[in-house]
Amino acid sequence: MSMIAPARKAPGNWRSLDPLRSYCELRGMPVQQADEDRSGFWTLRETQAMIGWLRTRDSALIDVPTIRQWLALQPEGRPDAHWWSYLREAVAEYALDAGDAELPLDHFLDWLAEWGREARRRQTGLLLLTAHRAKGLEFDHVAVLDGDWLRSGANEDADATRRLYYVAMTRARKTLALARFDRGQAWLDALPGGPSDSPAFLRRRATPLPTPPPELARRHRRLGWRQIDLDFAARHPPGHAIHRALAALTAGSRIALRQTSAGAWRLCDAQGVDVGALSQHFEPETHMHGIEARVAAIHVRRPRDVAEAYRSRISAQCESWEMVVPELVYAPGS
């Protein structure tokens, strides 16, 4: 299912979806925002572990039952098992094409790489997005939120918002829910018969809502790669404590964000060991304070992933290293 908000094109308007995101997090509901950077499927620790296992086998052929046997040994049903479930989903789709046939390993790896590229557009749980971002997409179930639909943006004609509302409505394949404030919604109220009389509508009467919990004022922020120092761990030799600390982390692990005396931002584990750093492009939320940080994903990088101009900064002994993608949670206040 997807929820579409009437936010305009300005990036900050994604924040109108923050209360919904916080509500889902509070209730343990899978949720994602369409503006989150979900790149890097191929370099995920879990994906690289499977590729490493496949390439160390003696056979140049592989079949689905063998892959499933190996995946059955990996975590399942735990908070840190999200990305393993992702790989199981990939193998299930591969089985639809390949069945149980034994095929060349390169065939499967090429297929997996393509699946990973498409996975960037896959939906996990409830998807929150703006009407502009929803253009060209379709979903089985859509809820369109009420808000400032009648307010035109700069350089837009008077009919632009009506067209945008139409875009939001027509994203639904099966069911469409249109939210309406008590003060009315001009376009819904103008429909033939009105929303209260038309047989095309299943009207749900407004019910009093309880006082919103303070958690709805929180802001969940998954950082993109541009905001992360991707090769921080690579500046230390393989035996350094940072690599052991990274190896002990999993998706969902609690971490902390701290600022150094020089103003740089560091990620550290429960023992205070630095496990990552943020880049100069990171800016903390204003008028809010961080209350929680956790690992969203862990990626594996190698020297070939580093631009030539920056390779001199990494340890010559590092053949690979891990990089944490954090999710930060902020609450109002300084």
Side-chain angles (χ1 to χ4, degrees):
M1 181 175 181
S2 298
M3 285 195 173
I4 300 176
R8 315 307 298 165
K9 293 182 179 179
N13 284 325
W14 283 93
R15 292 177 179 174
S16 64
L17 293 166
D18 282 342
L20 280 173
R21 171 68 182 272
S22 296
Y23 180 84
C24 292
E25 295 281 354
L26 188 62
R27 297 286 182 173
M29 298 167 55
V31 62
Q32 70 181 87
Q33 284 188 197
D35 64 332
E36 292 178 340
D37 183 356
R38 291 181 173 265
S39 58
F41 166 80
W42 191 256
T43 60
L44 281 168
R45 173 196 276 176
E46 293 79 2
T47 307
Q48 286 296 302
M50 185 170 75
I51 293 171
W53 165 72
L54 288 167
R55 286 178 170 161
T56 55
R57 295 173 66 252
D58 293 333
S59 176
L61 302 175
I62 191 64
D63 57 64
V64 170
T66 301
I67 300 174
R68 282 178 167 160
Q69 286 177 8
W70 184 82
L71 283 173
L73 302 175
Q74 312 311 321
E76 188 172 8
R78 298 190 334 222
D80 63 342
H82 169 71
W83 297 115
W84 289 115
S85 298
Y86 218 43
L87 285 172
R88 291 186 181 94
E89 179 185 340
V91 173
E93 290 194 27
Y94 178 70
L96 297 177
D97 295 333
D100 291 343
E102 198 173 38
L103 296 173
L105 174 59
D106 287 344
H107 175 273
F108 172 69
L109 293 178
D110 289 344
W111 182 94
L112 185 65
E114 180 61 29
W115 188 91
R117 285 188 285 271
E118 292 295 322
R120 294 183 61 177
R121 295 187 285 272
R122 290 176 184 270
Q123 180 177 345
T124 303
L126 178 66
L127 180 65
L128 306 177
L129 70 169
T130 64
H132 283 289
R133 180 60 71 90
K135 289 180 179 179
L137 303 177
E138 287 187 333
F139 309 92
D140 285 345
H141 310 286
V142 171
V144 180
L145 306 180
D146 202 356
D148 58 349
W149 285 105
L150 301 182
R151 182 167 61 87
S152 299
N155 302 318
E156 289 184 331
D157 61 73
D159 205 37
T161 53
R162 184 187 63 82
R163 293 195 300 269
L164 189 62
Y165 192 72
Y166 176 80
V167 166
M169 291 176 60
T170 53
R171 300 309 91 198
R173 285 189 290 250
K174 294 182 179 179
T175 66
L176 172 66
L178 303 174
R180 176 178 177 273
F181 288 139
D182 284 342
R183 65 173 180 261
Q185 217 282 14
W187 295 318
L188 291 183
D189 296 340
L191 291 174
S196 60
D197 303 322
S198 172
F201 287 89
L202 292 176
R203 181 178 174 84
R204 179 178 178 180
R205 293 188 177 278
T207 55
L209 296 176
T211 302
E215 289 85 354
L216 296 195
R218 292 177 179 176
R219 184 167 297 156
H220 294 258
R221 183 178 171 191
R222 179 176 296 189
L223 300 190
W225 285 33
R226 188 170 182 267
Q227 299 166 299
I228 302 169
D229 184 339
L230 305 179
D231 306 312
F232 179 74
R235 300 190 188 105
H236 306 281
H240 193 275
I242 187 174
H243 300 290
R244 295 192 296 273
L246 280 165
L249 295 176
T250 61
S253 292
R254 294 294 182 92
I255 51 178
L257 177 65
R258 68 177 182 87
Q259 191 172 24
T260 68
S261 57
W265 292 96
R266 297 284 186 266
L267 300 169
C268 56
D269 67 7
Q271 287 70 46
V273 178
D274 285 347
V275 293
L278 305 185
S279 75
Q280 61 183 354
H281 299 290
F282 169 75
E283 294 183 3
E285 298 290 332
T286 56
H287 309 299
M288 304 191 85
H289 66 282
I291 61 170
E292 184 181 316
R294 56 179 176 258
V295 176
I298 298 175
H299 292 265
V300 178
R301 287 177 60 81
R302 293 179 171 82
R304 64 173 179 266
D305 301 320
V306 183
E308 187 70 36
Y310 299 106
R311 287 184 185 172
S312 60
R313 300 181 183 181
I314 66 177
S315 170
Q317 299 170 285
C318 268
E319 296 181 358
S320 67
W321 58 93
E322 293 188 317
M323 177 268 292
V324 167
V325 174
E327 181 166 322
L328 310 178
V329 183
Y330 289 88
S334 55

